[in-house]
Amino acid sequence: MNKLLGAVILTVCAHNASAVALFNGRDFSGWELQTTPAAAIADAFHVLPDGVIASTGKPSGFLATRESYRNYKLHVEWRWTGKPGNGGVLLHISPGAFDRVWPVSLQVQTKFGNAGDLLPMAAASFAEPLTSAPGADTRIKAHTAPDSEKPAGEWNECDIVSRDGVVEVSLNGVPQNRVSHVAPASGRIGFQLEGTPYELRRVELTPLD
């Protein structure tokens, strides 16, 4: 069964009748890449025969949905295919001045050893205090529970709930972060490229409205 959501054809996931897959398993219809230097999606991502999305991790930038979302549950699974490194899931990507190559957005960190941290990118913000040093170039609210990321090569499961400006993040079943009064409270969803190859699967969104 297929549903049309904007320009993206979303396939209903068998394990959860209300969830939809943001990748169609064949190509990158409904997605766009923004990198420095500019590159084609095929230079940075490709679909494996089993539907897994493989990324080269470069050039620096992000892959984003063309569709915007507000209230939803997002399930993402990722793993490092070689030496683990840096990456992130971008929420609420919105127009505005970039911070280097990063858009206005809320980053859910997948960086090895820091998975579950939350970073307000560019002009994005939330109410809770940061744990990074005042004036630091990278603003961070660190994850609150002991590390729950799996060893490199194993699949991690990240579950994100975004509802009316509140974002909650769990990693491999462990609640790791929560922020409120997130601005912007809606926008596109994306994945960073920060130099390290990785793979994605089961990128599934459940609307809450």
Side-chain angles (χ1 to χ4, degrees):
M1 175 180 177
N2 292 329
K3 294 184 177 179
L4 184 64
L5 183 56
V8 187
I9 296 178
L10 304 171
T11 305
V12 176
C13 305
H15 74 282
N16 186 339
S18 62
V20 291
L22 295 184
F23 290 104
N24 64 22
R26 303 181 304 276
D27 57 30
F28 295 94
S29 299
W31 293 81
E32 59 185 12
L33 183 71
Q34 185 157 354
T35 61
T36 302
I41 290 180
D43 296 329
F45 289 88
H46 61 278
V47 183
L48 301 179
D50 57 1
V52 168
I53 306 298
S55 172
T56 63
K58 55 187 179 181
S60 296
F62 60 97
L63 180 72
T65 61
R66 296 182 183 273
E67 185 73 28
S68 291
Y69 305 91
R70 182 175 176 86
N71 293 335
Y72 55 84
K73 295 179 182 178
L74 179 67
H75 177 88
V76 175
E77 296 184 12
W78 91 91
R79 68 177 177 183
W80 305 107
T81 52
K83 183 178 179 179
N86 204 351
V89 182
L90 299 181
L91 310 177
H92 308 167
I93 298 171
S94 300
F98 276 45
D99 175 4
R100 295 159 290 171
V101 299
W102 311 123
V104 177
S105 58
L106 176 65
Q107 180 190 165
V108 179
Q109 182 77 272
T110 60
K111 180 180 180 180
F112 190 72
N114 299 93
D117 291 359
L118 290 175
L119 287 66
M121 310 296 288
S125 64
F126 47 72
E128 286 68 20
L130 300 172
T131 56
S132 52
D137 289 339
T138 302
R139 297 178 296 154
I140 300 171
K141 180 182 181 295
H143 59 282
T144 56
D147 289 346
S148 56
E149 184 177 5
K150 294 183 179 179
E154 295 185 22
W155 287 103
N156 292 282
E157 298 187 15
C158 184
D159 291 287
I160 300 163
V161 176
S162 176
R163 190 196 298 269
D164 297 331
V166 176
V167 173
E168 299 174 308
V169 177
S170 294
L171 181 61
N172 296 315
V174 179
Q176 285 288 6
N177 227 322
R178 181 186 186 277
V179 288
S180 61
H181 300 285
V182 175
S186 64
R188 300 185 295 151
I189 292 170
F191 297 94
Q192 288 184 307
L193 297 94
E194 293 199 71
T196 309
Y198 62 88
E199 291 181 348
L200 296 169
R201 71 178 185 185
R202 287 187 58 194
V203 180
E204 303 160 4
L205 184 142
T206 305
L208 296 180
D209 289 332

